[in-house]
Amino acid sequence: MAYLTRIPVGRIFGFWSRSFSSPIKNPFFSSTLSHVPSYKISTTAHYSSPSPSPPPPLSAAMNTQVFSSSSRWRPMCLYFTQGKCTQMDDPSHLEKFNHDCSKDLQVNGTDIEKKCSQNVDFLLVIDLEGKVEILEFPVLLIDAKSLSLVDFFHRVWHDTAQPFKEVMQQFEAWLSQHNLWEKEKGSRLTRAAFVTCGNWDLKTKIPQQCEVSGIKLPPYFMEWINLKDVYLNFYGREARGMMSMMKQLEIPLLGCHHLGIDDSKNIARVLQRMLVDGALMQVTAKRNPGSQKVEFLFENRIQHPSRQRR
């Protein structure tokens, strides 16, 4: 997650330029990603959040290394993440850049057996980046049963004049492709929930961007899971951000902090670890469609009184 007062935009753009094999011209394209097959969902029940339960004791799996990793980490090809890489047959390009988003999100099969049943089938990890307007929009689709990456949606752009409305149209097509949302019904997500690291992304930034772009706030952004609040109630200890959660869980950082696609993967790794430890993911915040007022559902939650944007 990136706040308005702390985004190192020059640093992000510098990393983007290194991750692309050529200068960015127009990262948008009209169709959804096709490199991962569509995942069908059999149920259409909507997600509801029960009251938070008392924090359980720390799991014995806390000190277990859950995630496997390769010997050498490589940055994602940001053309590939948007379905536009034209150098898939170039060995030097493939050696330099990663083209497998799931590579950093592997979970041991034996650890999956430790997790508890979830109220949703899929979890959508989102972590926006941008200074004044949103400049990076990454979403990872995680299967709540297998904990594996099903697919991802990713858009980056340098020019704030790029139409956010077009990004939302592409994102909605992607959601529909996975049967997570029905545009005709204009409803909330189907058997899925957004996962954020804090409230800023969906409480503050998405509504601001929709207003600037002259579009109505989509109904699927009306509720979300703030991973920091679930973390606090599950482990019984406070972690005020992604880095502190990773440090406490002894999960090494992969990639560039404040690059949205990398932060999303690291947040997903924290999510996977919590699920393996037995955490139940529950909606922590809901927006009233009429008043637009946000209700926080956990009495025990992370609060930042000095930073209202969070």
Side-chain angles (χ1 to χ4, degrees):
M1 164 176 50
Y3 302 112
L4 298 182
T5 57
R6 53 177 279 209
I7 303 302
V9 176
R11 178 185 173 195
I12 294 174
F13 286 164
F15 187 88
W16 283 347
S17 64
R18 293 193 300 274
S19 296
F20 281 98
S21 55
S22 60
I24 300 174
K25 294 181 180 179
N26 184 0
F28 292 108
F29 64 107
S30 58
S31 62
T32 56
L33 296 177
S34 59
H35 60 278
V36 179
S38 176
Y39 197 101
K40 300 298 182 182
I41 305 173
S42 59
T43 178
T44 57
H46 292 286
Y47 180 79
S48 60
S49 62
S51 300
S53 56
L58 291 178
S59 166
M62 280 291 294
N63 295 321
T64 302
Q65 182 64 29
V66 178
F67 310 99
S68 61
S69 60
S70 61
S71 57
R72 186 175 70 86
W73 182 87
R74 292 172 296 168
M76 291 295 301
C77 169
L78 300 187
Y79 271 124
F80 172 78
T81 62
Q82 299 177 94
K84 295 181 71 70
C85 181
T86 60
Q87 301 188 50
M88 294 297 291
D89 57 350
D90 183 347
S92 62
H93 176 75
L94 297 179
E95 174 66 21
K96 186 176 182 180
F97 297 105
N98 180 18
H99 294 75
D100 181 3
C101 195
S102 65
K103 191 173 184 179
D104 300 325
L105 297 171
Q106 302 297 316
V107 180
N108 294 330
T110 55
D111 291 308
I112 297 176
E113 300 174 359
K114 304 173 186 177
K115 67 179 182 62
C116 69
S117 177
Q118 300 295 315
N119 295 323
V120 294
D121 293 329
F122 299 96
L123 296 160
L124 293 157
V125 179
I126 182 170
D127 191 76
L128 306 174
E129 296 291 343
K131 185 177 182 180
V132 177
E133 296 192 33
I134 296 172
L135 299 176
E136 184 178 9
F137 191 98
V139 180
L140 304 183
L141 177 58
I142 304 295
D143 188 310
K145 295 183 178 66
S146 67
L147 309 189
S148 61
L149 176 72
V150 176
D151 199 358
F152 61 89
F153 179 91
H154 187 219
R155 297 293 183 274
V156 291
W157 58 98
H158 281 195
D159 188 352
T160 56
Q162 292 284 2
F164 183 72
K165 181 178 180 180
E166 184 178 343
V167 178
M168 287 296 94
Q169 291 172 344
Q170 295 172 9
F171 181 58
E172 289 175 359
W174 182 81
L175 288 174
S176 298
Q177 172 191 337
H178 292 286
N179 295 334
L180 299 177
W181 182 68
E182 296 183 52
K183 184 175 183 178
E184 294 74 17
K185 294 184 178 180
S187 59
R188 302 188 181 192
L189 294 179
T190 301
R191 295 300 296 165
F194 284 105
V195 176
T196 65
C197 185
N199 294 306
W200 180 85
D201 300 85
L202 299 189
K203 174 183 178 291
T204 302
K205 196 58 202 169
I206 285 288
Q208 286 180 348
Q209 185 66 64
C210 288
E211 183 177 357
V212 169
S213 301
I215 62 176
K216 185 179 179 180
L217 180 66
Y220 45 80
F221 285 136
M222 294 298 176
E223 61 184 31
W224 59 91
I225 299 170
N226 179 355
L227 198 61
K228 293 192 289 186
D229 287 347
V230 179
Y231 186 100
L232 172 64
N233 284 271
F234 179 67
Y235 292 121
R237 60 187 184 189
E238 186 176 280
R240 290 188 169 268
M242 180 192 80
M243 296 295 286
S244 55
M245 285 190 287
M246 296 183 73
K247 182 177 180 180
Q248 290 180 17
L249 296 177
E250 299 182 355
I251 300 174
L253 177 71
L254 293 180
C256 179
H257 189 24
H258 293 310
L259 180 67
I261 188 65
D262 286 348
D263 280 353
S264 295
K265 287 196 290 184
N266 282 314
I267 293 168
R269 293 166 68 221
V270 173
L271 170 66
Q272 288 174 320
R273 177 58 175 272
M274 292 178 65
L275 292 172
V276 165
D277 281 352
L280 175 64
M281 292 297 137
Q282 304 173 83
V283 165
T284 62
K286 286 188 176 183
R287 186 187 307 275
N288 185 305
S291 65
Q292 296 299 308
K293 182 179 179 180
V294 173
E295 177 187 5
F296 298 106
L297 306 181
F298 280 27
E299 181 178 354
N300 188 26
R301 65 186 185 90
I302 298 290
Q303 298 189 54
H304 300 271
S306 63
R307 291 191 177 183
Q308 297 301 318
R309 291 191 181 95
R310 296 190 182 186

